[in-house]
Amino acid sequence: MVLAYAAMLSSTLPFQKSVPLTSQRSGTAFGSSFQFNRENGTVVTPLVVCHAKKKLSFMEQILDYIEGGPKLRKWYGAPDILEKDGTAIEDNEDDYPEDEVRDAVLVTDGDSEMGQMVILSLIVKKARVKTLVKDKRVALEAFGSYVESMAGDTSDKRFVKKALRGVRTIICPNEGFLSSVGSLQGVQHVIVLSRLSVYGGQSGFQSMMKSNAKKLAEQDESVLKTSGIPYTIIRTGALQDTPGGKQGFTFDEGCAASGSISKEDAAFVCVAAFDCVPQTGFIFEVANGDNKVSDWKECLATLMEKASQKLQ
C-alpha cells in the first residue's frame, strides 16, 4: 500500500515531500510521511504515526488500498476500469500485436502477499507491469490502470501466449508457475524467488507440510535451467512479517538455510534483479544481515562475477 501510494503521489505531486492519508477501514485515522529520493526514485522507509490503538497489518493496509483505490484514481483522473453495468472490461486480443515492443514485466501470483509486494515495488520503479491473478475484478479495483491484470488457466497455451505478449521479464514470487506452462518464447529474463533452501532444511511435520511446495520449487528450477532463457534464482531465508528497509543483508553461502529475511526486503531484491540480466543463469542466496547495500547493480554484478568464477 505504502509503495503504491508513493508511486501515484510522486508522479502527480512532484513538489510535495509528504502527504497525509486517511484509512478507509472503520473510520480509523492514521498519518504517514512518505519521503522520496528523486535521484534514484527509491522510497525511504516511512515514519508512521498511528492514532489508533491497533497498528494496521500489511494485509489490512492492502485492504485499505483496495477500498480507497477507485476514489484515488478518480481524484487523479485515471480512466475508469469498469463498464457502466459494473462488469470488468474484457481484454481485446487485437490490443496485443505480435510485434509489440517487449518492455513489460509479468508478475505471477499477483494476488498473493508476495506478489502484491513485488508489484508495488515495480509501480514505484515506474515499470510496465502485467500480472496473473485469480480474481481479475479485485486486482482491477486495487491497481487500476497502473497494472494490466489477467486471469486464466496457465496450462492453456493460448492464454499463456497472450499473457506473455510484450513481456521481457517474468518475476515468480511463488513456486509452481514455470512447471505448469509450456513455451516462454520471447522472454529475455526470468527471476524466481526460491525458498528451496528453507524447505530442504526442514524436518518432521514441517517437512511434510512443505513437501508439495518443495517439489514445485524443484520442478520450477529444473524447467528454468533447461529453458535456455537467462535466469536469476534468488534463494532466500525464511520469510518474515517484519518491516523492510530496517536491516542489512548477507549473501554468504548457507545463509538461506539458516537465516531469515523480511518479505518486503525479499520483494525489493526481486525488483533490484530486474535491471541485472545474466548471460545465462545466476543463483545467489540472501538473508537479512549486517551489510548495507548502497548500489544494488554493483552488488549483484559482484555476486554474478563470483558465481561465474566458481563454475570455471
Side-chain angles (χ1 to χ4, degrees), residues 198-211:
V198 176
Y199 299 149
Q202 293 176 336
S203 60
F205 182 72
Q206 284 187 328
S207 177
M208 293 175 60
M209 291 290 291
K210 297 295 184 180
S211 61

Side-chain angles (χ1 to χ4, degrees), residues 152-166:
D153 184 358
T154 55
S155 64
D156 182 343
K157 293 182 179 179
R158 185 171 176 271
F159 171 73
V160 173
K161 182 178 180 180
K162 182 179 180 181
L164 293 179
R165 286 178 177 171

Side-chain angles (χ1 to χ4, degrees), residues 4 65 73 81 91 105-107 110 115-116 118-120 122-123 127-133 136 139-150:
Y65 173 61
R73 287 195 300 277
I81 60 175
D91 292 318
V105 53
L106 176 70
V107 180
Q116 290 172 351
V118 170
I119 289 171
L120 297 177
L122 287 167
I123 290 175
R128 179 188 166 206
V129 184
K130 300 177 71 174
T131 186
L132 301 180
V133 296
K136 182 176 177 180
L140 283 168
E141 291 191 353
F143 300 113
S145 59
Y146 302 100
V147 176
E148 182 181 343
S149 303
M150 306 183 72

